[in-house]
Coordinates of all heavy atoms in Angstrom, one line a residue:
A557 N 49.7 299.9 157.6 CA 50.9 299.2 157.1 C 51.9 300.2 156.5 O 53.1 300.1 156.7 CB 50.5 298.1 156.2
A558 N 51.4 301.1 155.7 CA 52.4 302.1 155.0 C 53.1 302.9 156.1 O 54.3 303.0 156.0 CB 51.5 302.9 154.1
I559 N 52.3 303.5 157.0 CA 53.0 304.3 158.0 C 53.9 303.5 158.9 O 55.0 304.0 159.1 CB 51.8 305.0 158.8 CG1 51.0 305.9 158.1 CG2 52.5 305.7 160.0 CD1 49.8 306.5 158.8
C560 N 53.5 302.3 159.3 CA 54.5 301.5 160.1 C 55.7 301.1 159.3 O 56.8 301.0 159.8 CB 53.7 300.2 160.5 SG 52.5 300.5 161.8
G561 N 55.5 300.8 158.0 CA 56.6 300.5 157.2 C 57.6 301.7 157.0 O 58.8 301.5 157.1
L562 N 57.1 302.9 156.8 CA 57.9 304.1 156.7 C 58.7 304.4 158.0 O 59.9 304.7 158.0 CB 57.1 305.3 156.3 CG 56.5 305.3 154.9 CD1 55.6 306.5 154.7 CD2 57.7 305.4 153.9
L563 N 58.0 304.1 159.2 CA 58.7 304.3 160.4 C 59.8 303.2 160.6 O 60.8 303.6 161.1 CB 57.7 304.2 161.6 CG 56.7 305.4 161.7 CD1 55.6 305.1 162.8 CD2 57.5 306.7 162.1
F564 N 59.5 302.0 160.2 CA 60.5 301.0 160.4 C 61.7 301.3 159.6 O 62.8 301.1 160.1 CB 59.8 299.6 159.9 CG 60.8 298.5 160.1 CD1 61.0 297.8 161.3 CD2 61.4 298.0 158.9 CE1 61.9 296.8 161.4 CE2 62.3 296.9 159.0 CZ 62.5 296.3 160.2
L565 N 61.5 301.7 158.3 CA 62.7 302.0 157.5 C 63.5 303.2 158.0 O 64.7 303.2 158.0 CB 62.2 302.4 156.1 CG 61.6 301.2 155.3 CD1 61.1 301.6 154.0 CD2 62.7 300.1 155.0
Q566 N 62.8 304.2 158.6 CA 63.4 305.3 159.2 C 64.3 304.9 160.4 O 65.4 305.4 160.5 CB 62.3 306.3 159.6 CG 63.0 307.7 160.2 CD 63.9 308.4 159.2 OE1 63.6 308.3 157.9 NE2 64.9 309.0 159.7
F567 N 63.7 304.1 161.2 CA 64.5 303.6 162.4 C 65.6 302.7 162.1 O 66.7 302.7 162.8 CB 63.5 302.8 163.3 CG 62.6 303.8 164.1 CD1 61.3 303.5 164.2 CD2 63.0 304.9 164.8 CE1 60.3 304.3 164.8 CE2 62.2 305.7 165.5 CZ 60.8 305.5 165.5
R569 N 67.3 303.0 159.3 CA 68.3 303.9 158.7 C 69.1 304.6 159.9 O 70.3 304.8 159.7 CB 67.7 304.9 157.8 CG 68.6 305.8 157.0 CD 67.9 306.6 156.0 NE 67.1 305.9 155.1 CZ 65.8 305.9 154.9 NH1 65.2 306.8 155.9 NH2 65.0 305.3 154.1

Side-chain angles (χ1 to χ4, degrees):
I559 296 174
C560 290
L562 290 174
L563 288 174
F564 180 81
L565 292 176
Q566 182 63 31
F567 286 131
R569 191 176 299 113

